[in-house]
Amino acid sequence: MIGPEIERLIQLLSKLPGLGPRSARRAALHLMKRRDSLLIPLSEAMAAAGESIRACSVCGNLDSRDPCTVCSDHTRDRSVICVVEDAGDLWALERTRAFRGTYHVLGGLLSALQGVGPDDLNIGGLAERAKDPAVREIILALNATVDGQTTAHVVTDRLTESDVSVSRLAHGVPVGGELDYLDDGTLTAALKARRPL
Amino acid sequence: MIGPEIERLIQLLSKLPGLGPRSARRAALHLMKRRDSLLIPLSEAMAAAGESIRACSVCGNLDSRDPCTVCSDHTRDRSVICVVEDAGDLWALERTRAFRGTYHVLGGLLSALQGVGPDDLNIGGLAERAKDPAVREIILALNATVDGQTTAHVVTDRLTESDVSVSRLAHGVPVGGELDYLDDGTLTAALKARRPL
């Protein structure tokens, strides 16, 4: 005897990472008790994000501008491109304020299990960007997991034609760890101590 | 260098129960990767809920109808009113399909710590409903916590003028529960309330 509007809200909330059916019910109740302070603003923020957020045509970052805020910032160092799995990893690196270059978002990692091949990732766009003589270095900031390291090797292979040096994040990233779960200090140290491949 | 639309979305998502700043960022990324299948539908479901969901003027349940679906269902037994803390507890009872009476949502529990007094809860509305001669029994389905039991006592006091019997949910061993993991209070209550086989 729960109304269909509430049922649908609960069902959609339960698809968010970190929320199951029970916590989605709690979230729905929480939202409906705070209609004006949370439910309506969140609905509008989602609509605004859905309306305006697109993948940057240069680097693949998610932003309401195209090229994105990073790509159109003339103070950023265009000679260095940092390659990340997704926008969440880009945000993590931006939070450290330790990197002043540009990014390239692959849109995932190679994965035999999940059937993700090289053509599913934005590797071609990176190879194109690497042909620009202004680009000197490409930093692979990928997870220290099997999929991340496999992806790093494939990306490096595609960059051999270009006259760029390719580096990866220093060890300091715990083996098996994921970027989004690292503290900013570790990320900063790993970025500074990057080593040539 | 995260856009303001995304920042605002993350900030609002982090106010949901069960999501902190980090999991709100993951949820925002998850939403933006699934723009058409999740972000837009969830935004619309929230707007629809915010537009149509109101507290039932009879029982306080949240629904798009007033009186709510339960109160306007003529097959429900109007002689029994089950008193619950909030709509979430009402939903939990409805899921059991074990109760065919009507409800009364208090809108919280008395709490000295959080400054919730009797006037903040919908106790007056319950006392009014209890004056109806058709109402025979009121079941207090409140948490077995200090706040829940305090509220039960205050509600019972307010119902002494009415000619209704007041009951509470049984205390005992949860179905499927193991004795070894139960607290002493529950075991004692279960032992005192033992039933002949």
Side-chain angles (χ1 to χ4, degrees):
Chain A
M1 298 300 264
I2 304 182
E5 291 91 350
I6 301 180
E7 281 285 13
R8 178 156 172 76
L9 180 60
I10 292 171
Q11 189 241 326
L12 287 168
L13 282 171
S14 70
K15 292 184 180 175
L16 289 179
L19 293 185
R22 189 175 293 268
S23 44
R25 282 197 296 269
R26 287 185 58 216
L29 193 65
H30 187 90
L31 281 167
M32 283 186 296
K33 283 181 180 172
R34 290 156 187 81
R35 182 178 173 277
D36 294 324
S37 64
L38 188 55
L39 176 62
I40 302 296
L42 184 53
S43 160
E44 289 170 354
M46 283 182 181
E51 190 65 42
S52 66
I53 306 294
R54 294 289 178 276
C56 170
S57 55
V58 177
C59 74
N61 184 19
L62 295 167
D63 203 338
S64 52
R65 302 170 63 171
D66 185 15
C68 73
T69 315
V70 176
C71 286
S72 51
D73 180 349
H74 293 289
T75 69
R76 307 289 299 218
D77 180 358
R78 272 140 216 283
S79 67
V80 189
I81 298 175
C82 182
V83 178
V84 291
E85 176 187 346
D86 61 21
D89 290 344
L90 188 157
W91 299 344
L93 283 161
E94 281 296 281
R95 282 197 299 278
T96 69
R97 298 172 195 274
F99 180 67
R100 294 297 302 165
T102 58
Y103 292 95
H104 192 83
V105 179
L106 290 179
L109 292 177
L110 296 176
S111 168
L113 268 178
Q114 292 172 41
V116 181
D119 295 339
D120 299 316
L121 304 181
N122 188 14
I123 300 177
L126 178 64
E128 279 303 311
R129 291 178 72 189
K131 285 177 187 164
D132 182 342
V135 175
R136 289 182 296 103
E137 181 178 6
I138 291 184
I139 306 171
L140 302 180
L142 300 171
N143 289 344
T145 58
V146 172
D147 284 348
Q149 296 312 297
T150 308
T151 309
H153 277 287
V154 171
V155 169
T156 309
D157 279 349
R158 288 289 296 275
L159 294 172
T160 44
E161 293 164 28
S162 312
D163 187 24
V164 291
S165 63
V166 181
S167 57
R168 61 154 172 76
L169 292 188
H171 277 304
V173 180
V175 175
E178 296 188 14
L179 286 193
D180 199 24
Y181 288 93
L182 276 185
D183 65 284
D184 295 352
T186 309
L187 262 180
T188 304
L191 196 62
K192 280 186 180 156
R194 63 185 183 273
R195 309 278 286 272
L197 277 181
Chain B
M1 297 298 266
I2 304 181
E5 292 91 350
I6 301 179
E7 280 286 15
R8 177 154 174 78
L9 181 59
I10 293 171
Q11 189 240 327
L12 287 168
L13 282 171
S14 71
K15 292 184 181 174
L16 289 179
L19 294 185
R22 190 175 293 266
S23 46
R25 282 196 298 266
R26 290 186 58 215
L29 193 64
H30 186 90
L31 282 167
M32 282 185 296
K33 284 181 179 172
R34 290 156 187 82
R35 182 179 172 278
D36 294 325
S37 65
L38 189 55
L39 176 62
I40 302 295
L42 184 53
S43 158
E44 288 169 356
M46 282 183 181
E51 191 64 40
S52 66
I53 306 295
R54 294 288 179 279
C56 170
S57 57
V58 178
C59 74
N61 185 17
L62 295 167
D63 203 339
S64 52
R65 303 169 61 170
D66 186 15
C68 72
T69 317
V70 175
C71 286
S72 51
D73 179 350
H74 293 290
T75 70
R76 307 286 301 217
D77 181 358
R78 271 138 216 285
S79 68
V80 189
I81 298 175
C82 182
V83 178
V84 291
E85 176 186 345
D86 60 21
D89 291 344
L90 188 158
W91 299 344
L93 284 160
E94 281 295 281
R95 282 197 299 281
T96 68
R97 297 172 194 275
F99 180 66
R100 296 295 304 164
T102 58
Y103 292 95
H104 192 85
V105 179
L106 290 179
L109 293 177
L110 296 176
S111 168
L113 268 179
Q114 291 170 42
V116 181
D119 295 340
D120 300 315
L121 305 182
N122 188 13
I123 301 176
L126 178 65
E128 279 304 309
R129 291 178 70 189
K131 285 177 187 165
D132 182 343
V135 174
R136 287 183 298 103
E137 182 179 5
I138 290 183
I139 306 172
L140 302 179
L142 300 171
N143 289 342
T145 56
V146 171
D147 284 348
Q149 296 313 296
T150 309
T151 309
H153 276 288
V154 171
V155 169
T156 310
D157 279 350
R158 289 288 296 272
L159 294 171
T160 43
E161 293 163 28
S162 313
D163 188 23
V164 291
S165 65
V166 181
S167 58
R168 62 154 172 79
L169 294 187
H171 291 314
V173 183
V175 175
E178 293 183 37
L179 290 193
D180 199 21
Y181 290 92
L182 278 183
D183 61 285
D184 295 348
T186 307
L187 262 183
T188 307
L191 199 61
K192 277 185 183 160
R194 63 188 179 276
R195 306 276 289 272
L197 277 179

